Amino acid sequence: MPTMGALHEGHLSLIQLSRQKTDISVVSIFVNPTQFGDKEDFEKYPVTMENDIQLLEQHKVDLLFAPTVDEVYPADYQTKTYDLGHLETILEGRFRPGHFQGVCQVLDRLATIIQPNFIIMGQKDYQQIKVVQKMIELTGKDIALIAGPTLREPSGLAKSSRNTRLTQKEKQQAPILYQAMNSIKDQLTEAVDLEKLCQKAADLVLTHGFHKYDYFSICQRDDLTRLKDYKSGTALIILAAAYIGNVRLIDNIIV
Ligand code: AMP
């Protein structure tokens, strides 16, 4: 189970899943520099290693792998690029150029070092799951991906390490992101204009504490292509990314 540390209950729920599915659970903690375009976001990423180790011990994780940057990317590491197709030009791929290449690099390296049978990831990072699946196919690794559901605060706010950077006021306002995605879901009909629906959701967060958004999007769940017309019964996912204070939050709900 790859993580960047600052562990919270979302991570712990994945550990529980891992303990059900496997006989040895390995957690990695590594804040991967190659997946951050924004240097400041990388430098401000919370590090709580002592607390993380305690949580991993309490949850009976067998191994922690907490490498240095040089261990993951040794001097002779040849930077690989992965053909991720349209995933690299839409949604997170569009707004965080290079991010998914970095995600593939680190997961490729971690999987090469650890040699796991499974990689366990959270649905919170649904796009990342799709990208890692692609990396596994491209590299021919024999690894099954397991996705666990998104754990939320009672307010609906998805648990995230970045939430620790929210002020108390921002933390009270941030659940509007989840509410906005649900308002899209609740108003989906075959007659509705999907663009307008997404715009309304964006306006809702912008009037409730968020100051910028990258996207609100209704996509096909399998390949993440943007939906033009809604047909009842289609497997969908609603995805959003928006800024509150100096924190960028992403979330999604499956419909
Ligand atoms: P991160 O440390 O943010 O890179 O996350 C490590 C793993 O935990 C990723 O697979 C995430 O999708 C997953 N994760 C993060 N937040 C949550 C959450 N709220 N619920 C479930 N899984 C999560």
Side-chain angles (χ1 to χ4, degrees):
M1 196 194 128
T3 83
M4 297 202 295
L7 300 181
H8 52 67
E9 285 162 20
H11 295 117
L12 300 177
S13 71
L14 295 185
I15 289 172
Q16 272 162 5
L17 194 60
S18 159
R19 287 178 34 82
Q20 285 162 18
K21 300 265 182 195
T22 70
D23 51 359
I24 297 178
S25 298
V26 184
V27 170
S28 64
I29 295 182
F30 180 63
V31 185
N32 172 38
T34 73
Q35 73 188 65
F36 285 83
D38 180 350
K39 199 161 166 261
E40 201 183 334
D41 191 34
F42 173 65
E43 279 163 2
K44 283 196 186 146
Y45 202 85
V47 177
T48 58
M49 189 57 92
E50 270 178 38
N51 189 52
D52 290 352
I53 290 173
Q54 252 182 27
L55 287 171
L56 296 178
E57 283 177 346
Q58 277 166 17
H59 286 78
K60 307 208 173 352
V61 165
D62 298 284
L63 286 170
L64 163 64
F65 183 51
T68 61
V69 173
D70 292 343
E71 273 175 286
V72 178
Y73 304 114
D76 61 353
Y77 172 72
Q78 308 259 337
T79 303
K80 276 202 215 171
T81 39
Y82 304 82
D83 180 4
L84 303 175
H86 73 293
L87 293 173
E88 238 182 335
T89 55
I90 58 167
L91 306 165
E92 289 300 286
R94 174 172 165 217
F95 286 96
R96 297 185 71 187
H99 170 62
F100 284 146
Q101 289 296 330
V103 168
C104 287
Q105 284 160 5
V106 74
L107 266 287
D108 192 351
R109 284 291 297 141
L110 290 173
T112 301
I113 296 166
I114 296 170
Q115 300 277 312
N117 300 103
F118 302 97
I119 294 180
I120 304 193
M121 301 178 77
Q123 185 209 302
K124 159 105 181 355
D125 295 280
Y126 189 86
Q127 299 174 60
Q128 203 163 287
I129 291 174
K130 290 284 169 197
V131 164
V132 172
Q133 185 68 56
K134 185 94 192 165
M135 181 280 287
I136 290 172
E137 283 163 28
L138 289 169
T139 55
K141 292 185 195 302
D142 185 15
I143 299 176
L145 252 183
I146 299 174
T150 302
L151 224 81
R152 299 181 180 279
E153 305 278 358
S155 64
L157 176 65
K159 304 229 179 213
S160 164
S161 308
R162 287 190 175 85
N163 292 353
T164 58
R165 285 169 44 202
L166 297 172
T167 64
Q168 213 168 356
K169 184 168 178 218
E170 287 160 0
K171 201 157 179 205
Q172 280 168 5
Q173 293 172 315
I176 196 77
L177 186 64
Y178 179 59
Q179 291 160 24
M181 290 189 304
N182 273 304
S183 76
I184 294 179
K185 178 176 144 195
D186 294 343
Q187 292 176 70
L188 267 179
T189 65
E190 295 191 0
V192 79
D193 180 328
L194 301 183
E195 286 287 323
K196 282 192 186 144
L197 201 53
C198 289
Q199 189 57 54
K200 251 171 53 180
D203 291 343
L204 183 68
V205 303
L206 293 178
T207 48
H208 289 81
F210 285 77
H211 59 86
K212 182 179 153 188
Y213 74 97
D214 283 343
Y215 56 83
F216 275 82
S217 200
I218 309 167
C219 296
Q220 304 265 20
R221 204 186 304 161
D222 55 354
D223 64 2
L224 288 172
T225 52
R226 199 182 182 111
L227 204 71
K228 292 197 184 83
D229 302 296
Y230 172 65
K231 284 208 176 53
S232 171
T234 317
L236 299 180
I237 181 163
I238 299 167
L239 307 112
Y243 292 77
I244 182 163
N246 58 7
V247 184
R248 181 178 187 273
L249 295 179
I250 61 165
D251 203 348
N252 67 71
I253 54 173
I254 279 182
V255 183

